[in-house]
Each structure stands twice: as structure tokens, then as C-alpha cells.
Amino acid sequence: IPFDQREGYIWFDGQLVPWADAKLHVLSHGLHYASCVFEGERAYGGQIFKSTEHSERFRRSAELLDFAIPYSVEELDAAKALTVAKNGFRNCYVRPVAWRGSEMMAVAAQNSTIHVAIAVWDWPSMFDVEQKMKGIRLDIAEYRRPDPKTAPSHSKAAGLYMICTISKHKAEKKGYADALMLDWQGRVAECTGANVFFAKGGALHTPIADCFLDGITRRTVIDLAKRRGIEVIERRIMPEELASFDECFICGTGAEVTPVSEIGPHRFTPAAVSRAMLEDYTAEVQPKAKAA
Ligand code: PMP
């Protein structure tokens, strides 16, 4: 079902409205000039995993684009929980989005209204561990993540996804599931919607998140690995090194932990480290019983 024709409720500028009524005008600054930021979250068992961290990042993403989201972190957390509950979901994907409205239609849009919407939908996670352990195949993207001096790399800004969509489409046309993107200096960066980890000698290696999104899942995986006593090395990783790794997986709210079997000419065999992280993450996202 197309996304504009579904049933349910969308939280729109402070109120729950019927799904079909959550519309914006074609002359919206967010559409023309990409003054738009969003989040991607998941609810498990009726509870949004790390909701507050996502709300904080949402507000920070907007600040990096020079606008302020007119709701506090607490208000956003409450609105997201309300939207999940109103739509009757226990497990779902949660999409907050904020954009500049229609008052001004030029590059400058200082006085435009900031709109916020929250939609939720069913996006089943691949909980079948054995299926996931086969691994996905990645292309290597032509476009690179921009220099942080060229774009606000740490904002989850809609505009930064243009090259992700192009890269993912190219990869899919070649039969790959996704694309690995390099950074502006040609080092391994991330996928089009997930961060990347490699394993060799029992340790995890992951690129330093200085010019791409430092995913909430990435930070969770680093924590989980450390709790297991797995060493995590954040460092520069060159594409020439890919051949030296035994395992690879990607991680993100949507992807959760997904092992990788191929990146371009390189082959990986998802094994113990990927399995451990996949199992630990699956356990970690389950709702925690509230302390008495
Ligand atoms: N990088 C990009 C480009 C993404 O879109 C995402 C998904 N939000 C991630 C990394 C992973 O971020 P998170 O773990 O916070 O979902």
C-alpha cells in the first residue's frame, strides 16, 4: 500500500490526525531546499528503543540546519509513544520528521514555521537469525560521504540522503542489497542507511564516525561488544584492507545487526563475532521491565 494511502493516525504539529489528512503544501521550503531532518526508530514490545537519544539527535539535527524543533525532548518522547499506542503497534518503525513550511520560498527562510510529524508503520525486523547469518552482498558506491567542512555530516538531514538513494539504486540494479560508501578521503565510511563493522582476530574494527552519522545502533554495538570483552578498535580503514577481515556486519535502526557476505570483490563468512553481536542486540532491544 503506498505510504500516503495507509490507515491509522499521524502526529502532526501537536495533534493526532487521520493518516490521509497529514499533508503539506507543494510550496514547502523543506521540499525545495531540503530544510528537513528526520529520525528512524523502532518500538519493540510497545517501547521505543533509546527514544530519548533519538529525540536529542532529532533536535540537534535541526540545529545543525539552523532551525529549532518547537518541542522538547520530553514532548517528543511522549508524542512518539502516543503515536505508537494510538496505532495499536507493539513492534514498529517510528519516523519523526521536521521541515520548514511555506511562508518563504527562497534560499533564506528565516521566518518559516517549523512543522513536525511522527508516523509509525509495520516494518518487520528479520528476527530469523539463521537467515540473517547468510549475510548480504554490498556494492561499493561511486559517491562518497562529504567532507564535514562541506556539509553538516552529523545531522540526519534529508538532503544528505540524496547520494544514499542514488547509491542504493545503483547497487540494487546490479543485484546487490546495498552499497558501502567511502568518505571524502577514500576511506571506508558507512552504508546508505547503516554503519559498518569488521572482525578479525576476535576484535571488532569500525571507522571513526567523524564525517558520517554516529549511529545509535553503532554505539549500542560498541557497548555490547565491550560488555562481552570483545575489543573494539575505532580507526581509519582503507578499502584495500577489506581483504584482511574475516567478518563484516552492518548495523542501524532499520538494519539492526545484519551480517555481510560480500563487498565488491571481497568475501566474508559471517561467524562467531557477527552471531554474538546479532544475538546481543536482539536481546538488548527487548523492553526492559520498569524498576519497581
Ligand atoms: N548511517 C546512515 C546514513 C543512516 O541512515 C543510519 C540510520 N539512521 C545509520 C547510519 C545508523 O543510525 P542509527 O543506528 O542511529 O539508526
Side-chain angles (χ1 to χ4, degrees):
I1 312 168
F3 272 90
D4 56 351
Q5 290 167 27
R6 300 188 174 200
E7 304 230 321
Y9 293 87
I10 290 177
W11 190 93
F12 197 151
D13 287 341
Q15 283 179 48
L16 284 164
V17 301
W19 195 281
D21 298 346
K23 291 181 180 161
L24 67 154
H25 198 272
V26 289
L27 295 177
S28 293
H29 197 271
L31 178 63
H32 293 243
Y33 299 96
S35 50
C36 174
V37 298
F38 67 99
E39 267 305 318
E41 319 182 22
R42 272 189 191 275
Y44 296 89
Q47 223 167 289
I48 298 172
F49 183 63
K50 299 202 170 174
S51 176
T52 299
E53 280 182 44
H54 282 282
S55 294
E56 285 166 357
R57 184 170 73 184
F58 189 42
R59 288 180 51 89
R60 213 161 44 243
S61 288
E63 277 161 25
L64 288 166
L65 265 58
D66 193 37
F67 69 86
I69 289 183
Y71 301 96
S72 66
V73 166
E74 294 72 25
E75 286 167 332
L76 291 167
D77 282 349
K80 289 185 287 184
L82 179 69
T83 312
V84 171
K86 177 75 178 175
N87 286 282
F89 282 119
R90 304 287 297 159
N91 301 309
C92 64
Y93 181 77
V94 182
R95 167 58 58 85
V97 58
W99 68 97
R100 285 188 187 276
S102 305
E103 288 81 0
M104 300 179 76
M105 242 316 139
V107 170
Q110 311 263 5
N111 300 326
S112 39
T113 305
I114 305 305
H115 297 280
V116 180
I118 302 164
V120 299
W121 59 83
D122 189 26
W123 187 6
S125 23
M126 284 172 64
F127 270 124
D128 179 346
V129 172
E130 293 316 317
Q131 185 63 28
K132 262 200 165 185
M133 282 300 291
K134 289 187 183 146
I136 58 166
R137 300 173 58 242
L138 303 180
D139 189 18
I140 299 178
E142 285 166 32
Y143 280 114
R144 295 177 171 191
R145 303 309 301 168
D147 177 348
K149 293 195 183 105
T150 302
S153 305
H154 294 289
S155 174
K156 201 167 160 60
L160 289 171
Y161 280 85
M162 172 185 67
I163 54 176
C164 298
T165 299
I166 297 170
S167 304
K168 179 122 180 165
H169 283 187
K170 273 199 177 158
E172 286 181 348
K173 281 178 194 147
K174 291 194 245 169
Y176 291 99
D178 198 355
L180 177 73
M181 304 187 82
L182 306 180
D183 72 11
W184 59 288
Q185 292 182 299
R187 304 179 298 211
V188 171
E190 59 170 353
C191 284
T192 64
N195 292 118
V196 66
F197 282 81
F198 300 92
K200 77 172 153 188
L204 278 175
H205 300 247
T206 195
I208 297 164
D210 56 1
C211 64
F212 55 85
L213 203 69
D214 181 8
I216 290 169
T217 318
R218 175 186 183 276
R219 293 203 297 268
T220 306
V221 164
I222 291 175
D223 267 6
L224 292 169
K226 288 183 176 166
R227 273 193 241 161
R228 258 197 192 247
I230 295 174
E231 187 188 6
V232 183
I233 305 159
E234 292 181 67
R235 64 175 180 88
R236 311 285 176 210
I237 298 174
M238 298 307 294
E240 298 78 57
E241 281 184 67
L242 292 179
S244 74
F245 294 114
D246 304 321
E247 296 181 54
C248 172
F249 62 83
I250 61 168
C251 70
T253 297
E256 300 178 307
V257 171
T258 300
V260 171
S261 60
E262 251 180 81
I263 303 179
H266 307 290
R267 301 288 176 275
F268 306 93
T269 307
V273 180
S274 303
R275 178 178 292 274
M277 291 301 103
L278 173 50
E279 289 178 355
D280 286 2
Y281 186 73
T282 305
E284 181 70 8
V285 296
Q286 295 314 308
K288 306 278 175 293
K290 292 246 173 9

